């Protein structure tokens, strides 16, 4: 996995924010799982997408890439727009059958899938994610909430390619 951490987009993400502090407080990759604790910013969401894309490709889960990246963007944008604090944790895991993602934040209000006005520019993201993902849910936690989704891959093999692992 060291080669993923050397990728320019991941290096940028692990670097400094425009405000002089690190966007990420903790990042960890263990086998077929990656997680990061961060302060969500608009620019940081793009960096996280690059890092998630790199991991998905490393794990040979390209079939799940489009929906996974859409879901990551939606959930982190919701943290930025709706949570009382931009602090969050994202975990991405390659499973035998696909990819599992969870975004945790410190806002105790549970995410609600609403019916948006057809002319509205927002409000449909969670409904879209629920429709595209193969599993979706929201759970209250002691410190806030977890929003998760799962994307299936029809031909998934052991994470990390033919030999498995990373």
């Amino acid at each position: 996995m060291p080669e993923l951490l050397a990728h320019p987009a991941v290096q940028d993400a692990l670097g400094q924010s425009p405000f002089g502090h690190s966007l990420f407080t903790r990042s960890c990759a263990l086998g077929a799982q990656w997680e990061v604790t961060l302060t969500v910013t608009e620019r940081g969401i793009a960096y996280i997408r690059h890092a998630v894309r790199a991991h998905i490709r490393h794990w040979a889960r390209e079939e799940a890439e489009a929906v996974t990246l859409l879901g990551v963007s939606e959930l982190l944008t919701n943290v930025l727009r709706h949570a009382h604090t931009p602090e969050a944790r994202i975990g991405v895991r390659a499973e035998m059958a696909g990819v599992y993602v969870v975004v945790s934040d410190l806002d105790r209000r549970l995410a609600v899938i609403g019916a948006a006005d057809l002319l509205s520019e927002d409000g449909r993201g969670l409904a879209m994610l629920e429709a595209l993902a193969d599993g979706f849910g929201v759970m209250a936690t002691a410190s806030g909430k977890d929003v998760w989704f799962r994307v299936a891959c029809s031909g998934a093999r052991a994470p990390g390619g033919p030999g498995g692992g990373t």
Side-chain angles (χ1 to χ4, degrees), residues 51-117:
V52 169
R53 179 182 292 117
H55 282 86
I56 286 173
R57 290 179 179 178
H58 180 74
W59 296 328
R61 297 295 187 272
E62 290 88 346
E63 185 180 341
E65 184 175 316
V67 174
T68 301
L69 296 178
L70 174 99
V72 165
S73 293
E74 175 61 28
L75 297 184
L76 291 177
T77 298
N78 282 353
V79 170
L80 190 58
R81 289 185 180 173
H82 304 294
H84 293 299
T85 175
E87 305 306 316
R89 182 183 57 81
I90 179 170
V92 183
R93 181 175 68 227
E95 298 179 332
M96 289 304 293
V99 177
Y100 174 82
V101 176
V102 62
V103 173
S104 306
D105 68 46
L106 301 175
D107 190 344
R108 293 182 186 271
R109 296 173 297 160
L110 295 182
V112 177
I113 298 173
D117 181 322

Side-chain angles (χ1 to χ4, degrees), residues 10-146:
V10 177
Q11 283 295 306
D12 284 346
L14 295 173
Q16 299 291 308
S17 78
F19 305 106
H21 62 278
S22 177
L23 295 171
F24 304 128
T25 55
R26 185 173 57 97
S27 177
C28 179
L30 297 172
Q33 182 168 319
W34 178 72
E35 74 174 41
V36 64
T37 302
L38 72 151
T39 300
V40 181
T41 64
E42 286 186 32
R43 185 174 176 195
I45 292 171
Y47 293 143
I48 291 292
R49 285 174 50 92
H50 287 296
V52 169
R53 179 182 292 117
H55 282 86
I56 286 173
R57 290 179 179 178
H58 180 74
W59 296 328
R61 297 295 187 272
E62 290 88 346
E63 185 180 341
E65 184 175 316
V67 174
T68 301
L69 296 178
L70 174 99
V72 165
S73 293
E74 175 61 28
L75 297 184
L76 291 177
T77 298
N78 282 353
V79 170
L80 190 58
R81 289 185 180 173
H82 304 294
H84 293 299
T85 175
E87 305 306 316
R89 182 183 57 81
I90 179 170
V92 183
R93 181 175 68 227
E95 298 179 332
M96 289 304 293
V99 177
Y100 174 82
V101 176
V102 62
V103 173
S104 306
D105 68 46
L106 301 175
D107 190 344
R108 293 182 186 271
R109 296 173 297 160
L110 295 182
V112 177
I113 298 173
D117 181 322
L118 291 177
L119 299 176
S120 175
E121 292 185 20
D122 57 11
R124 291 183 288 276
L126 289 179
M128 182 173 56
L129 179 58
E130 182 182 43
L132 293 173
D134 296 292
F136 173 84
V138 180
M139 263 186 335
T141 65
S143 60
K145 69 178 164 298
D146 288 349

